[in-house]
Structures are given as C-alpha cells and as structure tokens.
Amino acid sequence: MTLNPKLTQLLNEQINNEMSSSYVYLAMAAWFEQTPYMGFASWMFNQSREETMHALKFYQYVVDRDAVVVLQPIAQPKATFESPIDVFEHSLKQEQLVTQQINDLYDVAEQVKDHSSKNLLLWFLNEQIEEEKTVRDMLDRLRLAGTDPASLLVLDREAAQRQSPTGSGGHGGHGK
Ligand code: FEO
C-alpha cells in the first residue's frame, strides 16, 4: 500500500519535530551544565538522545514504506532558563506539544485508513503518556523542594539515575 501523500508529508514533519525536540533538550542539558545540577544535565542529555531515536524511528518508517524522506531545517532552541522548575515546565509543554502532533497524525492515518501507520503512532502515543508522566512527577517534586538546596540536590541525584533509552551508559557527567 502506497503511503498517502498528506500522511507522508506529516510523517516527514514529525521527523523534524522530533529532531527539534532533541535540540530543545540538548539546550536544556547545556544550560544545566553551567549549574551544579549534573544529574539534571544528564537527564536532559539522555532525553535529547531519546528524541533523536524517535526521529530515526519515523525516518526508518518512511523509508520502509517506500516514500521519500525530506529533511527540513531545525529551529534554534531556547538556551536560557530561570531555574530547574522553569526547565521542567518547558519540558512538560514540549511533551504536550508532541502528544498533540502525534494525535493529529493519528487522525490523518485514520482518515486514510492506513492501519500500519496507526500501529506505529499508537506506539508513540503510549510513549507520550509515559514521557508526560515522568516529567510531571519530577515537576511535582521540584515544586515541593522549592528553593531548598538540600532537597534540590536529592532530586538532582535521582535524575542522574534515569537511564539512557539506548542503554549505552548515557552522559558522562564530568562535573565542575
Ligand atoms: Fe519524541 Fe518526547 O517525544
């Protein structure tokens, strides 16, 4: 079954959205690298890598369906933040945006009755539930910690435990 042109275009856009997401998280990691919070830097670095994996999953799907991959420029991400809470609030917004994008894609896949694409997108929708929850949980605890340095460092240490999705050891965490 040939991939519908509109769906092909949206899947290509999603490659870009996921790569943009990866860049957004890499900028967050870079911001944390300038703070004492090496655990949060590691978290964001790993998240960036996960988003690249998502982009590659869409890329591979477009290739496997014998459609043409068209890559677009990636926008410059926001580079400065006010606090760890500020970063995680942006992270939650980013994930909510991606969930919306995948939902919209699913609508189109449904309209054109492309069940293989629906199957791929269902995997992503489930992934989004998990991603939003993970960020929301950390955000709740960051709000509880407020500006207390000892509590923030406990959360930072916890963030460092979050494994890279590729299982390859993740970010080095070189410290200052
Ligand atoms: Fe690939 Fe976090 O959405």
Side-chain angles (χ1 to χ4, degrees):
M1 179 180 169
T2 308
L3 200 54
N4 168 277
K6 166 93 175 149
L7 192 54
T8 303
Q9 186 203 328
L10 288 176
L11 286 165
N12 268 305
E13 279 175 22
Q14 199 57 31
I15 295 174
N16 186 270
N17 290 337
E18 301 287 345
M19 288 304 288
S20 299
S21 211
S22 176
Y23 236 43
V24 163
Y25 284 117
L26 199 57
M28 290 174 178
W31 183 81
F32 273 124
E33 292 286 359
Q34 300 172 69
T35 73
Y37 303 117
M38 292 297 105
F40 291 137
S42 168
W43 168 303
M44 292 302 168
F45 185 88
N46 284 331
Q47 189 60 39
S48 171
R49 196 145 64 170
E50 183 158 347
E51 300 305 343
T52 301
M53 297 306 292
H54 290 169
L56 297 182
K57 200 172 168 87
F58 278 112
Y59 167 94
Q60 195 60 52
Y61 182 75
V62 173
V63 169
D64 288 349
R65 291 294 304 270
D66 203 23
V68 180
V69 167
V70 181
L71 299 178
Q72 298 290 338
I74 298 170
Q76 185 172 20
K78 176 178 166 62
T80 54
F81 298 91
E82 284 169 19
S83 63
I85 289 182
D86 186 34
V87 179
F88 276 84
E89 278 172 348
H90 277 89
S91 171
L92 184 57
K93 281 199 194 110
Q94 179 64 30
E95 289 311 318
Q96 287 167 338
L97 173 68
V98 172
T99 301
Q100 188 60 55
Q101 290 162 346
I102 309 264
N103 254 311
D104 293 347
L105 252 170
Y106 191 93
D107 281 347
V108 175
E110 198 161 58
Q111 281 160 21
V112 302
K113 298 187 178 357
D114 189 323
H115 302 301
S116 309
S117 295
K118 279 165 65 180
N119 189 42
L120 172 84
L121 294 164
L122 267 185
W123 181 89
F124 275 101
L125 285 171
N126 285 326
E127 178 83 0
Q128 284 310 117
I129 291 172
E130 189 58 36
E131 292 210 341
E132 283 192 32
K133 180 185 177 345
T134 308
V135 178
R136 228 176 14 246
D137 287 351
M138 180 54 84
L139 199 47
D140 284 347
R141 278 174 294 160
L142 277 168
R143 287 186 178 127
L144 212 62
T147 55
D148 175 48
S151 304
L152 286 171
L153 285 174
V154 169
L155 292 178
D156 180 65
R157 206 174 311 139
E158 200 182 298
Q161 306 301 316
R162 196 175 173 215
Q163 285 298 304
S164 158
T166 58
S168 57
H171 171 272
H174 50 265
K176 298 253 163 205

